[in-house]
Amino acid sequence: MEPESGASASRNPSPLSWVNLSRSLLLAYQSFGVVYGDLSTSPLYVYTSTFKGKLRNHHDEEIIFGAFSLIFWTLTLMPLLKYVFILLSADDNGEGGTFALYSLLCRHAKFNLLPSQQAADEELSSYKYGPSSQAVASSPLKRFLEKHKRLRTALLVVVLFGACMVIGDGVLTPAISVLASLSGLKDTEAKLTNGELVLLACAILVGLFALQHYGTQKVAFVFAPIVIIWLASIFSVGLYNIIYWNPKIIFALSPHYIVKFFIKSGKEGWVSLGGILLCITGTEAMFADLGHFTALSIRLAFTIVVYPCLVVQYMGQAAFLSKNPNSVHNSFYDSIPGAIFWPVFVIATLAAIVGSQAAITATFSIIKQCHALGCFPRVKVVHTSKHMFGQIYIPEINWILMILTLAVTIGFQDTTLIGNAYGLACITVMFVTTFLMALVIIVVWQKSILIATVFLLLFWVIEGAYLSAAFIKVHQGGWVPLVLSFFFMVIMYVWHYWTRRKYNFDLRNKVSLKWLLGLGPSLGIVRVPGIGLIYSELTTGVPAIFSHFVTNLPAFHKVMIFVCIKSVPVPHVPPEERFLIGRVCPRQYRMYRCIVRYGYKDIQRDDGEFENQLIQSLAEFIQMEAVEQPQLSSFETLHDGRMAVISTRSLESTSSLIVSEHEDFDLDDSIPSSKSTTLRHLQSTYDDDNTQVRRRRVRFQLPNNPGLNQAAREELLDLIQAKEAGVAYIMGHSYVKARKSSSFLKKFIIDMGYSFLRKNCRSPAVSLNIPHISLIEVGMIYYV
C-alpha cells in the first residue's frame, strides 16, 4: 500500500527510474524544512533533561554510555523501524497522521458514527484506495466493533485524544525549542539572567506567531537549507567530540550498556526515561506531513541524513560528558568548540524556529480535520499557498496557541519542566498511533490478528515504559498536556454530541414525500421566480426547515435545490466527483437535490463559482437524464433518491448551456424576479462596494440542440430564467435546548456549553461564503 506502488508506478514500469529518483530527491530536500525541524533540535535538551533529577548523582562513564545506548536504540526502534519502515506504508491516498488511519478504518468498516454515508461515496476514486474489503471474509474483531456502538464511540474518543495531544505539541514545541536554543547565552560573556532569556524567548515567539498569516510558503525556500546546515553542524561537532574526548563511546552501541544502566541506576534510571524519550519528539511529523511529500522521499531523508547525524551528535555529547560530567546542565553548548560557538548558536535558534513552525502548521491541520469530522466548532480557515496544498492558517487558533505558549514559557522558565510536559504529549500520540495501526493491519491490510498483536505488544512495551516514566513527572510539568487535552476534548465532545443529536432530530422529522406529492406541482403555495437553495445536512428526504418556512410564509421559489455540504472519510475529493445531483420530486415540481462532497483535508474556496457550477451541473443532469430516459414523461421521472455524479468542468467547456460573462450588466426589468426592484438595486450596490469578493456575473443560454426533447428544453429554460431572477440561500438558524426532563449535566452541556460555543464560533453562512444580502435564515428550536 505504499504510495510509490500506486497508479503512477503502474504507468511507469521502472518506478526507480532517474525521473522518479530525482523527484524523490527533490522532495527529500524540501522535507528537511517541514518535517525534521523538531526532531533535529532535540539534542539541545535531551541529556540535560535526562540527568536533571536524582540521576545527576550517577555521572560515571557506564551511566553516560548507558544513556546514549538507550537513545540510540530508541531512535532505531521508534522513528526508523516503526515509522519509516511500517507506518509510512499505511497512508491514505498519500496522506498520513492519526486521522488518515481513522479514515482508512471508517472506509473498510462501519466505524463512522454519523449515518450520512451513501453507497455513492464508495464509488469515489480515492475511496477505493488500498485492498478491497471484499477480498477476504471480514475478521471477527471487525464485526465485533461494528456491532457495538460504544466501542465505536470509544475509538473516536481515542482518535480525538491523540488529536488533542498533537494540539498540545503545538503549544509546547515552540516554547521548549526556542528556550533551549537560547540557553547557551547563560554561559557566554553576555551572562544573561534567566528572566532576560525568558523575555527574549517571548519576543521571538510573538514574532513567530505574528508571521503565521503570511503562510510558510513565503519563507519555505530558506527552511530546508537551515535544517541541513544545522544537521551538518551537529554531525561535525559530534564527530569532533567522539575523536577528541572518548572514542570508546562506539562500544555503547551495544544494548549491553542498557542493562548496566538500569542495574546501576535502579529507579532513578527508570524515571530518567522521561528525558530520554525527548530524543524522538517530532517523529510523528514524518507520518503526519506525508501528504506534502512521498514515503520514499521521507525515507531517503531520514535514513541517509537525519538518522546518522542525530546518532553521531548524541554519541559525541556522551563522549564529552564522560570526561566533563559537571557540564550536564548545558551539555550541548558546552560541547561546542569555542571558535564556532556563535555560528552554531545562530543556526540552532533558526532551526528551533523552523521546528516550531512545523508544529504550529500541524496544529492548524489537525483542527481542520476535527472540524471535518464534526468534532470542532466552525473557524476561519485561510489557504495560504496556491502551490502547496494543505498549507493553511487559522487566525483564532493561532492567537490561542500564542497565549498558551507564552503562558507555558513564562510559567515554567525551564526546559526540563517543559520537557516533562512535551515528552508526555509526544509519547501519548505515539501510543494512540500504535493502537490504530494495529487495527489497520487487521481491518485494512487484512492480516492475521497474530501479526497485529506482535506489532502492538512490541511497540506498546517500549512506549509503555516511556509513558509510565512520563506519568511519574505529571506533578513536574507533565500536567500541562493533560489539562490542555481535557480542555479541547470537552469542546470536541460537546460539539460532536450536538452535531449527532441535531442530525438524528432532522432525520426523524423529515417531511413526508407522500404528503409533498399529494400537494401537486405548486405545493399549495405561490411559486415565485428565482432559485431557492435550502441548506441541510440530510442526504435524503426533505428537511423540516422547508415545511417550517412555507407554513409561516406560503410562497417559495420556482426552482428548489436542497443542498447538503458533506464530509467523506477521504483526504481529498476530486473536483470532477464533487457534485451529486438528483431529483426530490417528479420533473414538474422543479425540486432537486445537490450533495457537495469534501474530504477532510479539502478547503472550501471563496471563489464565487459555486452558484455557476451548481447551475451548470444541474443542467448537465437534466440533459443526461433526457438522453438516457427519453421515454419517461414528466411524472414518471425517477425521484427515488438516485443520484448522479456530475463533473464540474469549466464554464467555457460545458455543452449543456452557453455561457456569456459580463463584468457589469444593467438590471433587466423584463426578467421576473422574486426580489423587489429596490432589493435588486441594493444587491447591485452591495456587489459594487465589495469588489474584493465580487462573484463572476454570467448568463446562461440554451444551445440549439435538436436532440433535446420538449420537456427537458422547458425545464432548462425554467432553470435559466430562475437563475436570472435571482438566487436565495435558505438556512436554519438553530437554537438547541435540552428537554425539561433532561438531567442537570445534559442541561449544562447543551444550554450552557454548546450555546457558548455556537455564539462564539463562525456562523454556517460565513463558513460557506454565502453572500449576506441573499441569505434567508429560518429559526428552528431543537429539543434534544
Side-chain angles (χ1 to χ4, degrees):
M1 261 182 40
E2 297 179 18
E4 292 80 20
S5 62
S8 60
S10 64
R11 290 191 297 267
N12 191 342
S14 178
L16 290 178
S17 65
W18 280 111
V19 175
N20 287 340
L21 185 59
S22 60
R23 177 177 176 269
S24 295
L25 290 174
L26 178 62
L27 288 173
Y29 165 77
Q30 295 173 344
S31 71
F32 286 108
V34 176
V35 177
Y36 297 110
D38 187 10
L39 183 63
S40 65
T41 53
S42 296
L44 288 168
Y45 43 78
V46 169
Y47 281 109
T48 302
S49 299
T50 301
F51 290 96
K52 190 72 173 181
K54 294 182 179 180
L55 200 64
R56 71 176 67 181
N57 300 323
H58 302 276
H59 281 177
D60 56 88
E61 188 174 277
E62 281 192 348
I63 291 293
I64 293 172
F65 277 31
F68 164 70
S69 188
L70 273 169
I71 291 172
F72 170 74
W73 285 104
T74 302
L75 278 171
T76 302
L77 292 174
M78 300 301 292
L80 188 63
L81 178 60
K82 176 186 170 184
Y83 280 86
V84 171
F85 290 113
I86 300 177
L87 269 172
L88 288 182
S89 300
D91 65 298
D92 179 15
N93 292 276
E95 297 290 342
T98 306
F99 278 95
L101 296 177
Y102 183 68
S103 171
L104 280 173
L105 291 171
C106 287
R107 295 211 305 273
H108 288 79
K110 298 176 182 178
F111 291 164
N112 201 343
L113 291 176
L114 286 178
S116 59
Q117 189 169 332
Q118 298 171 282
D121 297 338
E122 300 179 11
E123 299 301 319
L124 288 168
S125 57
S126 52
Y127 199 100
K128 302 174 183 178
Y129 191 79
S132 171
S133 57
Q134 284 80 30
V136 295
S138 61
S139 67
L141 177 63
K142 174 184 171 182
R143 294 194 298 270
F144 181 75
L145 290 173
E146 289 177 338
K147 190 183 298 182
H148 295 83
K149 184 179 178 181
R150 288 186 177 181
L151 292 178
R152 289 184 281 126
T153 303
L155 179 63
L156 178 61
V157 170
V158 168
V159 172
L160 294 179
F161 182 67
C164 290
M165 283 295 181
V166 173
I167 297 173
D169 283 349
V171 173
L172 298 167
T173 300
I176 191 172
S177 299
V178 173
L179 205 56
S181 67
L182 296 176
S183 63
L185 293 176
K186 286 183 180 180
D187 299 324
T188 62
E189 296 176 358
K191 295 290 182 183
L192 294 182
T193 64
N194 203 50
E196 291 171 335
L197 280 179
V198 171
L199 187 62
L200 182 59
C202 288
I204 293 175
L205 289 171
V206 170
L208 175 65
F209 283 101
L211 292 173
Q212 290 301 309
H213 69 280
Y214 290 109
T216 55
Q217 84 285 352
K218 301 292 184 183
V219 287
F221 69 97
V222 301
F223 280 7
I226 288 173
V227 176
I228 290 173
I229 294 172
W230 165 250
L231 288 169
S233 301
I234 63 175
F235 177 83
S236 303
V237 170
L239 190 61
Y240 168 82
N241 287 329
I242 293 170
I243 298 171
Y244 185 82
W245 291 107
N246 195 350
K248 292 182 181 178
I249 188 65
I250 194 74
F251 296 115
L253 294 175
S254 169
H256 174 65
Y257 281 89
I258 297 177
V259 179
K260 285 185 176 182
F261 174 84
F262 285 113
I263 291 175
K264 198 161 188 178
S265 61
K267 181 182 178 182
E268 287 78 15
W270 171 58
V271 174
S272 71
L273 290 177
I276 297 289
L277 72 87
L278 294 178
C279 72
I280 54 175
T281 54
T283 300
E284 188 73 22
M286 285 196 294
F287 186 44
D289 292 329
L290 180 60
H292 300 312
F293 309 100
T294 63
L296 178 59
S297 63
I298 291 179
R299 284 172 175 147
L300 288 173
F302 184 80
T303 55
I304 297 175
V305 180
V306 178
Y307 178 72
C309 288
L310 289 176
V311 169
V312 171
Q313 166 54 212
Y314 286 119
M315 189 184 294
Q317 271 197 68
F320 172 79
L321 286 175
S322 66
K323 302 300 181 182
N324 303 274
N326 293 328
S327 295
V328 74
H329 67 283
N330 196 20
S331 61
F332 176 78
Y333 282 112
D334 286 353
S335 68
I336 299 174
I340 60 170
F341 174 84
W342 286 108
V344 173
F345 170 78
V346 173
I347 292 297
T349 305
L350 293 174
I353 293 173
V354 171
S356 303
Q357 174 63 55
I360 295 168
T361 304
T363 304
F364 293 156
S365 179
I366 283 289
I367 294 292
K368 167 68 177 68
Q369 293 170 26
C370 287
H371 171 63
L373 274 178
C375 297
F376 203 84
R378 293 175 293 270
V379 289
K380 181 179 181 180
V381 178
V382 180
H383 201 270
T384 59
S385 174
K386 295 181 180 178
H387 309 289
M388 193 172 185
F389 195 88
Q391 291 292 342
I392 60 175
Y393 167 66
I394 304 177
E396 299 94 328
I397 300 301
N398 181 64
W399 302 123
I400 291 173
L401 286 179
M402 186 189 77
I403 292 170
L404 293 174
T405 301
L406 292 176
V408 168
T409 305
I410 297 170
F412 288 125
Q413 302 185 12
D414 182 18
T415 55
T416 301
L417 294 176
I418 301 175
N420 293 338
Y422 189 30
L424 179 59
C426 290
I427 198 64
T428 303
V429 174
M430 292 182 180
F431 203 77
V432 170
T433 302
T434 301
F435 171 69
L436 293 175
M437 185 62 207
L439 289 179
V440 167
I441 291 174
I442 299 171
V443 176
V444 181
W445 288 0
Q446 299 166 354
K447 304 296 182 182
S448 69
I449 295 181
L450 179 62
I451 295 175
T453 304
V454 170
F455 170 85
L456 188 68
L457 291 179
L458 172 63
F459 290 106
W460 262 13
V461 166
I462 300 171
E463 293 163 356
Y466 283 116
L467 189 62
S468 63
F471 269 113
I472 290 295
K473 298 182 178 181
V474 166
H475 65 288
Q476 299 175 355
W479 55 269
V480 172
L482 296 177
V483 171
L484 288 175
S485 296
F486 177 77
F487 173 73
F488 282 103
M489 278 290 289
V490 168
I491 293 175
M492 291 180 181
Y493 172 79
V494 171
W495 193 264
H496 183 71
Y497 177 82
W498 169 81
T499 301
R500 198 171 66 224
R501 295 302 297 266
K502 179 178 177 295
Y503 183 88
N504 290 332
F505 182 92
D506 287 337
L507 207 58
R508 291 193 304 267
N509 292 276
K510 290 191 298 185
V511 176
S512 169
L513 193 60
K514 187 176 181 180
W515 171 77
L516 206 61
L517 292 173
L519 297 176
S522 68
L523 300 179
I525 57 176
V526 178
R527 301 293 291 270
V528 297
I531 297 177
L533 302 181
I534 304 104
Y535 279 77
S536 167
E537 295 179 0
L538 295 180
T539 56
T540 59
V542 177
I545 180 181
F546 175 71
S547 62
H548 189 65
F549 182 90
V550 297
T551 300
N552 292 277
L553 183 65
F556 214 83
H557 301 82
K558 189 171 184 179
V559 175
M560 284 182 273
I561 306 174
F562 295 94
V563 180
C564 173
I565 306 294
K566 173 183 171 183
S567 291
V568 289
V570 296
H572 304 291
V573 175
E576 61 273 12
E577 299 178 5
R578 179 151 291 149
F579 283 84
L580 271 177
I581 304 290
R583 292 187 184 275
V584 176
C585 289
R587 177 178 289 156
Q588 288 191 354
Y589 285 70
R590 303 298 191 252
M591 297 173 67
Y592 311 92
R593 184 182 310 283
C594 173
I595 299 176
V596 189
R597 301 177 291 183
Y598 289 94
Y600 58 81
K601 283 204 168 185
D602 281 331
I603 306 293
Q604 299 179 33
R605 297 178 182 272
D606 184 17
D607 54 8
E609 288 297 315
F610 178 75
E611 276 184 22
N612 300 327
Q613 289 177 352
L614 180 59
I615 301 304
Q616 171 197 325
S617 300
L618 195 55
E620 289 188 7
F621 168 78
I622 294 169
Q623 190 174 32
M624 179 186 71
E625 187 183 57
V627 171
E628 293 180 356
Q629 299 155 348
Q631 73 281 6
L632 295 182
S633 66
S634 296
F635 278 91
E636 292 174 328
T637 311
L638 295 175
H639 57 273
D640 57 358
R642 300 183 191 182
M643 310 289 287
V645 178
I646 303 297
S647 174
T648 53
R649 294 173 292 180
S650 64
L651 293 175
E652 290 78 9
S653 63
T654 180
S655 59
S656 300
L657 297 174
I658 299 174
V659 180
S660 57
E661 183 175 347
H662 301 265
E663 279 299 319
D664 289 289
F665 52 81
D666 297 328
L667 296 172
D668 190 351
D669 293 327
S670 65
I671 300 174
S673 175
S674 60
K675 300 177 181 178
S676 66
T677 305
T678 304
L679 188 58
R680 296 173 69 193
H681 279 288
L682 283 174
Q683 171 78 62
S684 178
T685 305
Y686 173 83
D687 290 340
D688 291 339
D689 292 341
N690 294 270
T691 55
Q692 71 277 13
V693 294
R694 177 182 291 181
R695 287 160 166 74
R696 284 208 307 169
R697 297 178 175 180
V698 299
R699 279 180 173 167
F700 297 96
Q701 294 178 343
L702 196 63
N704 186 15
N705 185 356
L708 202 62
N709 62 40
Q710 185 62 29
R713 180 177 293 275
E714 290 177 359
E715 189 173 9
L716 287 172
L717 283 173
D718 285 345
L719 179 64
I720 293 172
Q721 291 176 1
K723 174 64 172 68
E724 293 294 332
V727 179
Y729 297 77
I730 296 91
M731 302 191 73
H733 190 79
S734 57
Y735 296 90
V736 181
K737 293 183 178 294
R739 292 192 182 97
K740 292 182 179 180
S741 59
S742 301
S743 64
F744 172 78
L745 179 61
K746 185 176 180 181
K747 287 180 179 178
F748 179 80
I749 291 174
I750 295 178
D751 295 345
M752 300 292 293
Y754 171 72
S755 179
F756 175 81
L757 292 176
R758 184 184 63 82
K759 291 176 182 177
N760 290 278
C761 74
R762 295 170 70 82
S763 68
V766 175
S767 297
L768 296 172
N769 305 311
I770 292 175
H772 184 69
I773 200 167
S774 302
L775 175 65
I776 301 173
E777 290 190 315
V778 182
M780 292 284 292
I781 299 179
Y782 293 84
Y783 288 98
V784 295

